[in-house]
Amino acid sequence: MDARHLEILERIATGELDREDPAVVELCRESEEFRARLAEQSELLAVLEAEGGEEREVLALAAEDDSAAPGEDRIPTLVLESLVVEPGGRRRSVWVRTVLVAAAVVALLVLQWSRGTDEGGETLLGPPGVELLEPVGEVERVAAFRWDYDLPPGGWFQLTLRFDDGTSFKTSSRIMRAEWKPEPDLGERLSAGFAWEVTGFGPTGSVVARGGPARVDASY
Amino acid sequence: MILAGDSQHLGDLKLVKAAKCGDSSAVKDFAQRIKCAAKFLSIQNRRMGSPANDEELADLAQDVVLVVLRKMGGYEGRGSIESWVYRIARLELLVYLRERGRRPAPVGDMLDAAGGGSPKGDERFAITVVHRALARLRPHEVELVELRHLEGLTWDKIGARLDCPANTAKTRYHRALVKLQNYVHDRDGEDG
């Protein structure tokens, strides 16, 4: 690829030159590398154009759509809970947290009072925090995950790992104790940066508690 | 209207920063703004032929919100909060469907309609790869790609927005495009 090739590619990408232009066709015949780069560029531009169009359409549709989407109602609670806790699991604002806890207690009392009796043994309030104990922050290695939360009888935990490359991992089997030892094939992935969260479920499968995300940077 | 001008984006940046600092009023407003994540997932899923069910979408919406919360520090106000959340939701949905081997039908149609093909024969994979490559570009490079392809601006307008001649904007854009192309194809980003 020389400067002329790059210039032609730029002119095609910016719309100055058509890729069917005789000069471009001739260059494609002359240079296999140019032809390959042009094909790659065209594919990338097609994806970018399509994605741009999709984004504009979806944003416009969303602006006109007044119906409730699945999970939409849970978002404010999740945001409120998460933004009063720092990534490391420490409390960011004692005042805000105190207000939230007080509100949760009042709501719990109201709910219990309105029910008269505890029908299912589960509380369906906005989930309180599971306290993530370790690992948190910079650590040498990740041997086990530990947290603190008392589940109702029959409840279980699920742990989620979110890696810096955008992928995630969720435990598939029910965790019955407030501890989880990572599977050996996760070892290498845990040596880089990631965040983890814990969700607590009641016996009927409804969410009763959440904790995290807590950021971990392992250095081994 | 969701698509907004620069002034609202500056307001959005202030809102995100205040919410990140725990300002209770800002947190409430921010929570309302990012409820759109669930809507974006639902609409995109519908447009793909509904490969995910409502329960999965609800779980995904929570996952998207957690990613948004984790990335709050990286929001620079270059686009609206909704636009930022949309891209996170889009990537999460595509990755989720790919990991579960479900194929959203119209994505291929979308590429065909755009006159392109798929680099690897898997359109969803290609889109995911492009989104991840975009995340590796520098902010000013992403801005050029967004102004051109997402906002659909002319070169004169892009130049005016960036306070540079249109030709300079074109050259910078193409440099960013080459870098993006290299990232997509697992080459070092700076050559060309």
Side-chain angles (χ1 to χ4, degrees):
Chain A
M1 291 282 289
D2 58 25
R4 183 166 161 255
H5 290 165
L6 272 178
E7 188 204 327
I8 298 283
L9 286 173
E10 179 184 320
R11 291 182 61 201
I12 296 169
T14 55
E16 273 182 29
L17 190 63
D18 194 288
R19 62 175 293 182
E20 302 303 324
D21 186 281
V24 178
V25 173
E26 184 58 29
L27 260 186
C28 284
R29 269 199 214 106
E30 281 174 17
S31 168
E32 192 175 324
E33 191 185 1
F34 175 82
R35 191 169 63 240
R37 284 295 177 117
L38 177 59
E40 282 180 9
Q41 178 175 286
S42 303
E43 285 165 355
L44 180 58
L45 287 171
V47 172
L48 290 172
E49 279 299 312
E51 284 297 277
E54 178 76 1
E55 176 171 333
R56 286 191 292 272
E57 281 183 41
V58 172
L59 288 176
L61 285 171
E64 293 164 2
D65 187 352
D66 293 329
S67 63
E72 189 176 322
D73 54 335
R74 296 189 214 157
I75 291 176
T77 309
L78 184 56
V79 174
L80 285 171
E81 285 166 358
S82 302
L83 286 181
V84 292
V85 178
E86 284 186 350
R90 287 179 287 127
R91 284 156 176 75
R92 178 178 285 279
S93 162
V94 173
W95 184 84
V96 172
R97 192 174 176 84
T98 304
V99 169
L100 282 174
V101 169
V105 169
V106 169
L108 174 63
L109 290 173
V110 169
L111 186 71
Q112 295 286 22
W113 174 78
S114 64
R115 280 180 168 180
T117 57
D118 186 353
E119 294 164 355
E122 285 183 55
T123 303
L124 300 177
L125 292 173
V130 174
E131 192 171 1
L132 305 186
L133 301 177
E134 62 173 326
V136 171
E138 289 185 13
V139 297
E140 275 194 23
R141 60 184 302 110
V142 180
F145 293 82
R146 292 188 181 83
W147 57 93
D148 184 28
Y149 186 78
D150 290 328
L151 280 174
W156 76 93
F157 293 107
Q158 182 180 51
L159 187 141
T160 304
L161 298 170
R162 299 186 186 282
F163 301 103
D164 286 353
D165 63 2
T167 60
S168 60
F169 168 87
K170 274 186 183 174
T171 51
S172 50
S173 54
R174 295 180 176 190
I175 304 171
M176 309 309 286
R177 300 168 53 205
E179 178 185 42
W180 182 71
K181 291 191 175 166
E183 294 149 14
D185 57 344
L186 272 174
E188 194 177 323
R189 304 194 71 191
L190 296 177
S191 63
F194 65 92
W196 63 291
E197 303 150 24
V198 170
T199 306
F201 294 90
T204 61
S206 58
V207 174
V208 295
R210 283 185 198 281
R215 172 81 195 167
V216 179
D217 288 291
S219 59
Y220 66 105
Chain B
M1 185 63 196
I2 281 173
L3 294 172
D6 280 344
S7 56
Q8 189 183 332
H9 300 167
L10 192 61
D12 285 359
L13 181 61
K14 282 181 186 163
L15 176 64
V16 171
K17 283 187 173 172
K20 193 169 186 296
C21 290
D23 178 302
S24 58
S25 167
V27 170
K28 278 184 198 161
D29 290 347
F30 180 67
Q32 287 304 313
R33 292 284 297 276
I34 69 167
K35 276 168 71 177
C36 60
K39 203 154 276 177
F40 293 153
L41 289 169
S42 175
I43 293 172
Q44 288 182 80
N45 186 55
R46 252 192 340 256
R47 287 162 69 87
M48 291 175 182
S50 300
N53 62 36
D54 280 3
E55 196 182 334
E56 290 173 307
L57 286 176
D59 284 347
L60 258 174
Q62 294 196 39
D63 290 346
V64 169
V65 169
L66 292 173
V67 175
V68 166
L69 294 173
R70 211 167 62 231
K71 293 190 171 181
M72 283 174 82
Y75 175 72
E76 295 177 328
R78 281 181 295 107
S80 66
I81 288 173
E82 286 78 9
S83 203
W84 173 57
V85 170
Y86 166 85
R87 285 169 213 168
I88 293 171
R90 173 101 174 132
L91 186 57
E92 285 289 310
L93 178 62
L94 290 170
V95 168
Y96 178 84
L97 295 177
R98 182 162 67 87
E99 284 174 352
R100 279 146 192 84
R102 290 181 222 168
R103 192 181 184 83
V107 175
D109 299 344
M110 187 170 74
L111 281 172
D112 291 342
S118 165
K120 309 272 186 195
D122 180 338
E123 298 88 352
R124 189 168 60 241
F125 178 71
I127 295 169
T128 310
V129 168
V130 170
H131 275 281
R132 286 197 171 138
L134 271 169
R136 291 176 65 189
L137 290 183
R138 291 177 186 150
H140 66 276
E141 295 167 332
V142 179
E143 185 174 22
L144 275 159
V145 174
E146 287 175 352
L147 289 173
R148 179 64 181 163
H149 297 285
L150 302 180
E151 295 196 26
L153 298 186
T154 63
W155 291 111
D156 284 339
K157 284 185 179 169
I158 293 173
R161 186 79 76 88
L162 301 179
D163 200 19
C164 68
N167 280 337
T168 306
K170 285 180 187 175
T171 302
R172 287 181 190 164
Y173 159 80
H174 191 247
R175 215 175 288 153
L177 194 69
V178 169
K179 202 166 167 185
L180 185 64
Q181 197 173 324
N182 287 340
Y183 285 148
V184 165
H185 292 276
D186 277 335
R187 296 187 293 259
D188 288 338
E190 303 290 349
D191 78 354

